[in-house]
């Protein structure tokens, strides 16, 4: 809604439709929607068999001033979500000086303790920084099981995001990847006309977001590809792409590279 509140009946209908179609990984985080996302997700999944889905959420260290505050947040997350365990738990937004809090408060070890207690199934982190920083982190913390990266064809060779280089670092460390921002916040669902022309010329019958999703999902070592969807139409479009999924061919990869160049030239 315009006020930022969750339109719960509509959002619940989307979640149920996604699950009915075979989606089984649902991602939230402590601060999303002003803290309302986790309680809302908890109310929806309470109606589902627990074994029918994987639940992911995240620890926001920028909101913590101590280990005790982090512990309080984690306990609150379990209550909000109404679950006995979380499948994929992420240390939220590692990189730059944000990682210091995870080190200072011993959150890496705390998360592993929660895993040993059975409260977490898998522990990893989301990341926004350069590839060499990711390399250092994964070298220092080989106990992390996965990493969540911003990967899309627009950012693949970008000097700031370094999608390709970060992905290659994760592969070097044998860490599976969860992909976020495959459509770059919607930009690649409705790209500039010069970019759209490249894709439409190659395959007029394919919708534009499908190129972005297939680019991401064609990579090896991927756990899942996340995509934010706010309408039933968007979800049905994405579901159609993934239900009939086929990796990009060499010819299609060349088309995507051409689209990337067209976007970079703007």
């Amino acid at each position: 809604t315009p006020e930022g509140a969750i339109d719960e009946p509509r959002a619940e209908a989307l979640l149920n439709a996604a699950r009915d179609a075979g989606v089984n990984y649902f991602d939230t985080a402590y601060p999303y929607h002003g803290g309302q996302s986790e309680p809302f997700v908890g109310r929806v999944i309470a109606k589902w068999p627990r074994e029918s889905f994987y639940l992911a959420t995240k620890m926001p260290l920028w909101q913590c001033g101590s280990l005790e505050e982090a512990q309080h947040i984690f306990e609150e997350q379990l209550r909000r979500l109404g679950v006995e365990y979380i499948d994929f738990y992420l240390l939220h937004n590692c990189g730059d000086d944000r990682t210091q809090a995870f080190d200072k408060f011993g959150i890496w070890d705390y998360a592993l303790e929660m895993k040993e207690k059975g409260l977490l199934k898998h522990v990893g982190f989301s990341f926004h920084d350069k590839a060499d920083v990711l390399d250092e982190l994964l070298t220092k913390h080989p106990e992390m099981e996965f990493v969540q990266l911003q990967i899309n064809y627009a950012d693949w060779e970008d000097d700031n995001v370094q999608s390709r280089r970060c992905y290659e670092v994760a592969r070097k460390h044998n860490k599976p990847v969860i992909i976020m921002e495959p459509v770059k916040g919607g930009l690649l669902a409705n790209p500039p006309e010069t970019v759209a022309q490249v894709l439409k010329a190659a395959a007029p019958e394919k919708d534009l977001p499908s190129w972005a999703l297939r680019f991401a999902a064609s990579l090896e070592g991927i756990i899942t590809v996340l995509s934010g969807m706010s309408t039933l139409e968007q979800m049905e479009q994405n579901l159609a792409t993934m239900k009939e999924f086929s990796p990009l061919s060499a010819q299609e990869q060349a088309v995507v590279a051409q689209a990337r160049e067209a976007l970079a030239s703007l």
Side-chain angles (χ1 to χ4, degrees):
T1 64
E3 297 78 22
I6 298 171
D7 183 340
E8 296 207 7
R10 185 165 148 242
E12 182 169 1
L14 281 174
L15 286 175
N16 284 327
R19 179 174 164 269
D20 291 346
V23 174
N24 64 358
Y25 184 105
F26 296 89
D27 172 88
T28 182
Y30 186 79
Y32 287 176
H33 283 283
Q36 294 307 303
S37 178
E38 284 180 339
F40 164 69
V41 170
R43 288 190 288 275
V44 175
I45 64 178
K47 303 170 188 176
W48 300 351
R50 182 63 183 90
E51 67 279 4
S52 70
F53 62 93
Y54 297 102
L55 177 64
T57 194
K58 311 174 187 75
M59 166 65 75
L61 254 287
W62 64 85
Q63 295 188 228
C64 301
S66 66
L67 174 60
E68 289 70 29
E69 284 187 45
Q71 292 169 332
H72 173 75
I73 283 179
F74 177 65
E75 291 162 3
E76 186 181 357
Q77 288 179 300
L78 289 175
R79 288 195 301 271
R80 282 174 162 190
L81 293 163
V83 293
E84 295 182 357
Y85 65 90
I86 293 164
D87 298 284
F88 290 85
Y89 197 68
L90 295 91
L91 307 189
H92 200 170
N93 199 8
C94 288
D96 199 23
D97 56 3
R98 299 180 300 275
T99 307
Q100 294 173 9
F102 292 97
D103 297 334
K104 180 179 178 181
F105 303 140
I107 304 302
W108 308 93
D109 291 336
Y110 174 66
L112 293 178
E113 289 172 20
M114 296 304 98
K115 182 184 173 186
E116 287 173 11
K117 290 183 177 181
L119 300 176
L120 304 175
K121 297 298 184 184
H122 304 286
V123 178
F125 59 91
S126 60
F127 181 81
H128 291 278
D129 206 338
K130 301 293 190 288
D132 58 347
V133 178
L134 179 60
D135 197 17
E136 291 173 13
L137 261 181
L138 289 175
T139 300
K140 188 176 178 181
H141 295 285
E143 72 279 8
M144 293 292 105
E145 298 173 76
F146 65 93
V147 61
Q148 183 165 306
L149 299 173
Q150 178 173 322
I151 293 178
N152 55 69
Y153 70 75
D155 293 326
W156 190 240
E157 300 293 353
D158 183 84
D159 289 337
N160 292 316
V161 181
Q162 297 188 352
S163 277
R164 176 183 58 78
R165 291 175 60 191
C166 286
Y167 167 73
E168 288 172 352
V169 166
R171 294 293 290 160
K172 183 182 82 170
H173 286 269
N174 295 313
K175 302 301 180 188
V177 173
I178 293 170
I179 291 180
M180 57 181 160
E181 296 291 342
V183 195
K184 197 172 170 63
L187 172 67
L188 303 183
N190 186 26
E193 186 56 31
T194 53
V195 179
Q197 285 174 356
V198 171
L199 301 174
K200 289 175 182 175
E205 76 285 0
K206 286 187 171 69
D207 61 67
L208 298 178
S210 71
W211 287 94
L213 286 181
R214 290 178 61 222
F215 173 83
S218 294
L219 295 169
E220 295 182 356
I222 302 302
I223 293 174
T224 193
V225 178
L226 303 177
S227 181
M229 296 166 280
S230 54
T231 68
L232 187 61
E233 181 185 17
Q234 289 173 356
M235 190 175 73
E236 288 175 344
Q237 198 173 42
N238 285 357
L239 286 169
T241 297
M242 299 311 292
K243 279 184 174 181
E244 302 165 7
F245 177 74
S246 60
L248 291 178
S249 65
Q251 185 176 2
E252 287 174 319
Q253 289 281 8
V255 171
V256 168
Q258 189 181 350
R260 181 187 308 120
E261 290 169 9
L263 191 60
S265 70
L266 297 177

